[in-house]
Amino acid sequence: MSTLHTVNKSPFTNGSLLSCLKHCRPGDAILLIEDGVYGALKGSTVADAVCENLADVRLFLLGGDVRARGIEDEKILSQARTVEYDGYVDLVVEHDRTQSWL
Amino acid sequence: MSEVKKFLYVNRKAPYGTIYALESLEVVLIGAAFDQDVSLAFLDDGVFQLTRNQNTETIGVKNFSPTFRALGDYDVTKLYVERESLAERGLSESDLQEITYEDEDDDWAEKPSIRIVSRAEMADIMADQDVVLSF
Amino acid sequence: MAYQINGHAVEHDEEGYITTLADWSKELAEAIAETENINMTDEHWAVVNFLRDYYEEYQIAPAVRVLIKAIKKEMGPEKGNNKYMYELFPYGPAKQACKIAGLPKPTGCV
């Protein structure tokens, strides 16, 4: 039993990503979408918090939202994997439920 | 009637700055007609929805905090509130209004609906649901 | 659109629900009931008064099943049932009784 968490807000204006990280359980996945993708920036003030909480939790980014914001690959945390819309659908199917952190 | 599913409404926003809190409550009340196993979770700024003494007279919006006390009539009797979220905001259980329900299976005894849980327990509650609706 | 009560106009929406809760009076309730072809008896008043008390306390009009459960608890099973409610308010207790009670249209169905 696992959950796909989606986060669509920047962690620099909103606590959703941090709250999400604190409520994840092993086996869960987090998918950052829209402004949520800023949460995967290397060297940011939240990067440590993200990495510390990623034990047994996978981190994904929605590619279209990353490209739209001009975020280059080398700026993204190495733990994060990029998926496209079909990968988003696969993630939804893989997990028992989806929880949006608004 | 199909099988009963577990629905969790997750409330993470303060009551009057945005419409989320009121929308959530309205969906809960309408959804209650479908006889599912409904719980509500209050965490982060969502805990502010349940505080005592709300009075909206001068801001011209409806004070919907009394409506939480009607949830028992709709068989919504599990309101989980996260202890850490309260503490981070300088609040404790005594700052929340009392919400009770009458237990049909226990000679209509009045019981508290609010259950204070830890962050870890909240994560377990979330993981135990069929459907999670976020507001 | 408005009801005329003792020379005062009380605004209502296109379905007949009054727009300002504070405009409500017993005379107004009688007038609204008349437009619904309902002759207000003590039994009607018991339901209308219950709705007003419920709204005062919880800021919502109760769903029909909640209303019926509460009436059943307060006045017994011979009154706390669908049939009795629909005899009093043939076009739906929530819709008609709320209108007469001066409450907003109930959230959700029926």
Side-chain angles (χ1 to χ4, degrees), chain C residues 27-102:
Chain C
E27 294 74 32
L28 176 64
E30 303 271 7
I32 300 174
E34 210 176 301
T35 67
E36 297 280 327
N37 290 317
I38 287 171
N39 180 29
M40 292 294 284
T41 63
D42 288 350
E43 286 73 28
H44 291 92
W45 276 113
V47 175
V48 166
N49 288 334
F50 175 85
L51 285 172
R52 287 190 61 81
D53 290 346
Y54 197 93
Y55 192 89
E56 172 70 24
E57 186 165 358
Y58 299 121
Q59 299 297 304
I60 49 163
V64 181
R65 65 187 178 88
V66 172
L67 170 68
I68 287 174
K69 203 161 83 176
I71 298 273
K72 187 176 176 178
K73 204 179 158 209
E74 228 162 89
M75 307 180 201
E78 66 282 0
K79 293 187 175 178
N81 64 69
N82 254 305
K83 186 170 171 286
Y84 176 80
M85 262 331 138
Y86 275 88
E87 277 164 12
L88 290 180
F89 302 100
Y91 287 92
K95 215 171 129 241
Q96 283 187 308
C98 283
K99 197 186 285 185
I100 295 165

Side-chain angles (χ1 to χ4, degrees), chain A residues 15-16 19 22-23 25 97-102, chain B residues 12-13 43-44 82 119 123-124 126-127 129 134:
Chain A
S16 291
S19 192
K22 288 180 205 153
H23 292 90
R25 298 180 6 136
R97 68 194 71 73
T98 300
Q99 180 167 357
S100 317
W101 293 80
L102 303 171
Chain B
R12 298 184 47 247
K13 304 273 198 284
L43 59 150
D44 299 331
E82 189 177 273
R119 188 161 272 156
D124 292 343
M126 290 171 171
Q129 306 296 321
S134 304

